[in-house]
Amino acid sequence: MIVRKNYLELIIPFVDTEPIKVMTGVRRSGKSIMLELIQNYLKSKGVKEEQFIIINFEELIFEPYLEYHALNDYIEKKIAQTNLKTYIFLDEIQEVNHFEKVINSLRATYKSRVDIYITGSNAKLLSGELSTLISGRYVQFEIYPFKFLEYVEGRRSIGDNRSENDLFQSYLVEGGMPFPVFQNIQYRDRLNYLSDVYNSIILKDIIERENLRDPELLRRLLNFVLGNVGRTFSANSITKYLKNEGLKVSPTTILNYLGFATDAYAIIPLKRYDVQGKKFLASQEKYYVVDHGLRQAIIGRNEEDLELVLENIVLLELMARGYEVSVGKTNQYEIDFIAERKTETKIDRKYIQVSYLLASPETREREFRPLKEIADNYDKMVLTLDPFTSDVDGIAHVNLIQWLLDDNY
């Protein structure tokens, strides 16, 4: 099992504290692994396994507890069996109707006698009644598929001793969904698994949850988004595209469906930020996919669309490192990413351009020019697959693979 240090370092300070720990993320991204890692950490601190109540609501054995009264009775009986503190782990909690009533009742009834951890595959998990009931009493962590460094660690753990460059070639097409990383299975079987995950997201987390009337529209729309990750487009442009494909749909419906897919963590929208004007722009977001392996499984072309996929990989890495990310605009130039996170003492901001290779002076100028337009002193970086790099005017030129392998960059 890979120790996901980025997330554990964020979660551990909240262990044995009042806030409910909520982990959200796309289906099969490793949320269950995080619960196991937390349990292992607790055991290392002397907590006994009998103090754990562990329920995964996707397992058939727990189907009787999908009714919230039954779930509450089951957990209370388990708590009563020990005088020690109880650690409650509820995986994919959104499967339980009115689960928020159970969570709030346990918190209010047992207070410091329980420590509660829940996971879910929808961003709306903390909206509505749950947010109202536990407002100010929870802390949320978004869990993403494996970063490249974790992918390498996973492959090494099962005896894959290929070079990091060769592993990156595999990562480009397979992505970071945890399960296939630990399997010595054929490429086709990996893609079949990823296709099944994607279809499960579509069916369970979007179509069924939102009661969509037009599943075919959703699939066609997401195929368009997958094919255009990192490209700027609007609801109106998608409407025109689908009209040419024989589908009549309004921009409002497009925006609603994109919102449902975002809530299910299938896609990631990025707003555009005007560096000079210091404001977010109202139109033409960019969309990325939560795992580029899903893109390969559904539409292929990752190796052909290399620049787009490299951007997607960099975005996922930045988000896993705890950055809030937007797309930049300065004068007439676009900046691939503006990444920002706040520490106790400062704002950590980076301006990042992503390219395959700086194969010509024209390409080099194109990638460095937008960063030269920025007047502040925050870090500026161009990431490429060039084996040899050279900085320009204080702008770092960094090998992308080495950047992915070093969290300190």
Side-chain angles (χ1 to χ4, degrees), residues 119-133:
T119 79
S121 299
N122 196 284
K124 290 183 178 177
L125 191 71
L126 292 172
S127 64
E129 189 172 356
L130 177 62
S131 181
T132 301
L133 290 173

Side-chain angles (χ1 to χ4, degrees), residues 45 50 136 162 170 178 181 192 196 203 206 230 260-261 338 347 355 386:
K45 298 300 181 181
E50 53 263 35
R162 289 178 293 162
S170 297
V181 172
N192 285 340
D196 288 343
L203 178 62
I206 305 178
F260 297 149
I338 302 174
I347 294 177
S355 184
D386 290 286

Side-chain angles (χ1 to χ4, degrees), residues 325-347:
V325 187
S326 57
V327 176
K329 176 184 178 298
T330 175
N331 297 323
Q332 73 269 35
Y333 299 106
E334 290 282 340
I335 302 163
D336 289 334
F337 299 120
I338 302 174
E340 185 172 299
R341 62 185 176 187
K342 296 179 181 178
T343 69
E344 292 183 1
T345 58
K346 66 174 184 177
I347 294 177

Side-chain angles (χ1 to χ4, degrees), residues 133-242:
L133 290 173
I134 64 171
S135 177
R137 298 186 178 94
Y138 70 86
V139 58
Q140 181 182 11
F141 309 92
E142 291 187 346
I143 310 298
Y144 294 94
F146 282 169
K147 311 186 309 169
F148 178 56
L149 178 59
E150 293 170 325
Y151 177 88
V152 171
E153 291 174 356
R155 296 305 299 170
R156 294 278 189 255
S157 73
I158 61 169
D160 188 340
N161 294 317
R162 289 178 293 162
S163 70
E164 290 166 346
N165 284 349
D166 287 342
L167 286 171
F168 185 71
Q169 295 302 314
S170 297
Y171 182 69
L172 273 172
V173 293
E174 296 173 9
M177 284 293 183
F179 176 77
V181 172
F182 298 101
Q183 311 302 315
N184 283 316
I185 56 178
Q186 296 296 316
Y187 172 73
R188 181 180 299 176
D189 295 326
R190 294 176 186 278
L191 292 193
N192 285 340
Y193 170 82
L194 293 172
S195 180
D196 288 343
V197 171
Y198 180 81
N199 289 328
S200 179
I201 296 168
I202 295 292
L203 178 62
K204 297 197 69 175
D205 297 326
I206 305 178
I207 294 174
E208 289 183 0
R209 181 181 178 87
E210 306 296 345
N211 194 25
L212 296 190
R213 298 179 180 180
D214 196 344
E216 180 59 23
L217 170 61
L218 176 68
R219 292 183 182 277
R220 298 276 288 276
L221 171 61
L222 288 182
N223 279 359
F224 176 87
V225 174
L226 292 179
N228 291 276
V229 293
R231 293 191 176 118
T232 302
F233 54 80
S234 65
N236 285 328
S237 64
I238 301 177
T239 300
K240 292 177 182 177
Y241 165 80
L242 292 175

